[in-house]
Amino acid sequence: MRDDLLRPCTIYPKNMMKNRLMLVLLVATTCTALSCKKNENVSGFTGAWGGAYGGDDYGMWRFKVGSDGKVSGSGNSLWVSTLEFTLEGRVSDDGQFRATTGGSDIKWEFTGTFTRDGHVEGTWKSTSGSPAMEGMFSGNRD
């Protein structure tokens, strides 16, 4: 009996394994490259920002914009002295952002626009609780 009949697929499995390995490496490299991509267009907004909000409530706020576009910060009410809140959200390439509060029973949403020359403004509104509250905010880069 011939030896090559006993091992009918010896050539193909090696090539198939090599092809599969190459495919896995290609997929892994692509996924890594995409997940590490930073949003370079938000670099004009990075840094610390601060300002005030007014309307149905009023107080002070502070935001930090990271190089990845993440917006985080905090604020406190000057009307309700015990009200403090944290904010988290994201900024897009064109400066539009949305951040929501956490850390308190009152839930607010801040939406607005950062400008590359160091100004930010927008509106805020309550998304829970009664009565509904809303207003405007503005500030500048520190």
Side-chain angles (χ1 to χ4, degrees):
M1 191 178 257
R2 291 177 33 195
D3 263 343
D4 61 338
L5 292 177
L6 295 175
R7 294 177 288 164
C9 296
T10 55
I11 296 174
Y12 295 109
K14 287 181 184 177
N15 287 340
M16 286 175 55
M17 289 298 284
K18 189 184 283 186
N19 289 342
R20 284 184 182 166
L21 180 59
M22 293 297 283
L23 180 62
V24 167
L25 289 174
L26 178 65
V27 169
T29 303
T30 302
C31 289
T32 302
L34 291 175
S35 66
C36 292
K37 180 182 174 190
K38 290 187 178 179
N39 189 348
E40 307 220 357
N41 293 327
V42 301
S43 63
F45 312 123
T46 58
W49 299 72
Y53 69 93
D56 295 328
D57 186 18
Y58 60 95
M60 306 299 289
W61 58 265
R62 307 244 343 125
F63 293 156
K64 181 181 178 207
V65 179
S67 61
D68 59 353
K70 182 178 177 184
V71 176
S72 60
S74 62
N76 66 295
S77 172
L78 299 176
W79 185 55
V80 180
S81 61
T82 59
L83 177 63
E84 294 183 359
F85 54 88
T86 59
L87 293 159
E88 289 195 6
R90 296 205 72 76
V91 62
S92 64
D93 296 348
D94 62 357
Q96 299 293 313
F97 83 97
R98 178 180 170 268
T100 55
T101 62
S104 70
D105 293 335
I106 297 173
K107 301 297 181 194
W108 289 350
E109 179 180 88
F110 283 69
T111 56
T113 306
F114 289 101
T115 63
R116 294 189 191 279
D117 63 352
H119 186 70
V120 62
E121 62 183 24
T123 61
W124 65 271
K125 66 179 179 178
S126 61
T127 58
S128 69
S130 181
M133 298 190 306
E134 61 185 16
M136 297 175 63
F137 70 93
S138 66
N140 296 296
R141 186 189 334 253
D142 290 346

